[in-house]
Amino acid sequence: MPELAEINLQKYQISEQFGFLPAQPPLTRLPHPCYQIWEDTLGGFPSPSNYETIRQQIDNMPVLSTGALTTEPEWRRAYVVLSMMSQIYIWGGCQPSKKLPRSLTLPLLAVSAHLGIEPCASYASFCLWNVRPIAALDDPNPEVYSNLENLAIINSFTGTKDEEWFFCVSASIEVIGGRMIPKMLEAIDAARDGRRGQVTDFLDELASCLAQIDATLGRMYEKCAPSVFYHRVRRFLNGSKSMGGVWYEGIDGPGDCRSYAGGSNAQSSLIQLLDIVLGIDHSDDGGNGACKSHGSFHRHMRAYMPGPHRDFLQLMSRVSNLRPFVLSHGTGSDLRAAYNRAVAALGQIRQKHLVMAARYIIAPALKEKGKSGLDGVRGTGGTRFMPLLKDARDRTIESISSGVCRDC
């Protein structure tokens, strides 16, 4: 097997500096004038006066060909524009729409097929390809993304700072963790060759990186109020599964009914990559049906990732070897201690995320619906929230107890 450290990350559309974010800031507008109507329609939102007229505007849009899209950044920008307009069309009115017009569905299907991603709004729409530095930098460095005040979203559903902060925190986390990807490949090579010291150093560095991610995640509360997220932002992250699907109009007929999950951080390739590298398996449940459901949810979320990123996760699932390498060494070793610190740091992030989910979803839902209404609360990915929260809590505890070498 060739050395993984020599792998061409560009093949998987991964940047050595920015991870799963593009190496260059995403486009703020499609350059070809034929797509001006798309950009102008999306740019007119979120003016409150447009909430009830946005569907009519989209209904009257012509069906445009994707033939004028020539570069990958243009394809990504088209996906952001079309998928965000689809969310606005479905959720922007007083009542959700059960259909999408062909002016959206036909180009969205074509763009999504090109990118290898589901034809709906996703984490890539909101975060990966919709966050960029405020300053027009031709060659930004990772430090730019570490300062959240340097970041902004290109398009917004609500025009609130809360929404912008929510996605900018996620983008910053992507860059913090993404810089570890080349080192992950080197560590897997080192484990294959028996270079224990190098693997130990990597695990220590990963634990420090995870601590920085944890601290960045904790900044969410600074400028994203739970009440604003729950009552204004969250509806635009919903998926069509929550209402039994949406009809995607075809060329000459009604088309077909499609059902998709909503945007979710579970669609972050980085989050799943961390599990893969540390050997935390969400599918091997030892007979526990709840854990199997959680693992199935994670696998399902990969369809909402860009195709090359999904391919990279599949590659890493085949070659990841750090956990067996750690277990092959004696108890009390520096290697095992470093592995334990990394898994514990990941567990800390999960625990913080559970607390955050409770503050941003459970608490507002309690206030709005009362205790009896909580069973119907769903996560942004479209699953029922209470079983998912319990499942994630149980899985976090299991990851810490089984992910850490038990006999250390």
Side-chain angles (χ1 to χ4, degrees):
M1 182 182 293
E3 294 292 301
L4 284 174
E6 299 175 359
I7 194 172
N8 181 8
L9 289 176
Q10 291 183 357
K11 170 185 175 184
Y12 297 98
Q13 297 181 2
I14 295 172
S15 164
E16 291 190 6
Q17 288 187 301
F18 305 104
F20 295 102
L21 263 65
Q24 295 298 319
L27 295 176
T28 60
R29 195 173 180 89
L30 287 166
H32 199 288
C34 73
Y35 300 123
Q36 181 174 334
I37 189 171
W38 288 354
E39 295 284 5
D40 290 348
T41 302
L42 180 60
F45 203 78
S47 170
S49 62
N50 282 352
Y51 277 24
E52 291 304 321
T53 63
I54 190 72
R55 287 176 182 161
Q56 183 178 355
Q57 293 178 45
I58 293 174
D59 284 335
N60 292 333
M61 284 196 318
V63 177
L64 300 182
S65 166
T66 58
L69 301 173
T70 59
T71 67
E72 284 305 297
E74 290 176 14
W75 283 98
R76 293 170 191 156
R77 176 60 187 166
Y79 171 75
V80 170
V81 173
L82 292 165
S83 62
M84 289 189 73
M85 278 199 290
S86 72
Q87 289 295 93
I88 291 167
Y89 192 95
I90 295 171
W91 301 104
C94 293
Q95 296 294 326
S97 173
K98 291 283 290 182
K99 64 97 176 177
L100 278 176
R102 58 182 58 88
S103 60
L104 286 179
T105 60
L106 298 183
L108 178 58
L109 289 169
V111 168
S112 300
H114 175 89
L115 296 170
I117 195 169
E118 295 285 27
C120 62
S122 68
Y123 183 79
S125 310
F126 310 135
C127 177
L128 297 184
W129 301 334
N130 193 43
V131 176
R132 59 177 286 133
I134 293 173
L137 302 175
D138 293 330
D139 188 23
N141 58 63
E143 284 67 34
V144 171
Y145 285 84
S146 66
N147 185 347
L148 293 171
E149 283 74 13
N150 285 341
L151 304 178
I153 55 176
I154 299 169
N155 292 103
S156 173
F157 292 115
T158 65
T160 62
K161 182 63 180 179
D162 307 73
E163 177 188 349
E164 181 169 68
W165 190 256
F166 181 80
F167 294 124
C168 287
V169 167
S170 297
S172 184
I173 288 172
E174 289 287 335
V175 175
I176 294 169
R179 67 177 183 229
M180 294 295 298
I181 294 176
K183 297 176 182 181
M184 292 174 182
L185 300 176
E186 293 172 357
I188 291 172
D189 281 339
R192 184 192 303 162
D193 298 337
R195 287 177 268 136
R196 169 178 161 178
Q198 184 174 345
V199 176
T200 302
D201 290 343
F202 163 76
L203 290 169
D204 280 333
E205 187 173 358
L206 180 60
S208 297
C209 174
L210 292 170
Q212 187 179 354
I213 288 175
D214 182 62
T216 302
L217 180 62
R219 295 193 61 191
M220 184 68 74
Y221 302 114
E222 292 180 16
K223 297 182 182 179
C224 182
S227 59
V228 177
F229 176 81
Y230 183 82
H231 292 288
R232 297 189 61 186
V233 178
R234 191 168 176 262
R235 66 166 168 158
F236 291 108
L237 308 184
N238 282 333
S240 54
K241 278 188 176 181
S242 64
M243 56 178 180
V246 167
W247 280 95
Y248 278 49
E249 288 188 346
I251 297 176
D252 299 315
D256 56 346
C257 186
R258 294 170 175 262
S259 182
Y260 296 111
S264 167
N265 276 6
Q267 296 162 3
S268 164
S269 299
L270 174 67
I271 299 302
Q272 295 206 24
L273 177 61
L274 293 170
D275 279 341
I276 292 169
V277 168
L278 288 173
I280 298 173
D281 187 354
H282 291 281
S283 61
D284 183 10
D285 63 5
N288 188 323
C291 293
K292 180 175 288 186
S293 173
H294 192 57
S296 176
F297 172 74
H298 274 247
R299 288 192 301 274
H300 176 64
M301 288 295 101
R302 291 190 186 181
Y304 299 85
M305 300 174 184
H309 296 176
R310 184 169 57 250
D311 293 342
F312 183 73
L313 292 187
Q314 292 170 350
L315 167 68
M316 294 297 283
S317 295
R318 293 195 301 269
V319 303
S320 180
N321 60 2
L322 297 190
R323 179 173 167 79
F325 180 70
V326 170
L327 290 173
S328 71
H329 287 73
T331 60
S333 67
D334 290 345
L335 177 62
R336 287 203 178 196
Y339 178 79
N340 289 345
R341 285 192 291 271
V343 175
L346 183 58
Q348 176 64 30
I349 293 171
R350 286 212 176 100
Q351 291 284 17
K352 181 167 287 185
H353 185 262
L354 293 178
V355 172
M356 191 168 289
R359 286 188 64 177
Y360 280 87
I361 299 177
I362 293 296
L366 271 172
K367 189 173 182 179
E368 179 186 42
K369 303 178 181 180
K371 194 171 182 179
S372 61
L374 283 183
D375 284 343
V377 176
R378 294 179 178 268
T380 53
T383 56
R384 287 177 58 217
F385 188 80
M386 290 305 290
L388 183 63
L389 183 64
K390 180 180 182 300
D391 195 14
R393 181 201 64 199
D394 294 343
R395 195 60 185 175
T396 297
I397 295 170
E398 181 177 337
S399 294
I400 296 173
S401 62
S402 65
V404 175
C405 303
R406 296 179 186 222
D407 53 351
C408 291

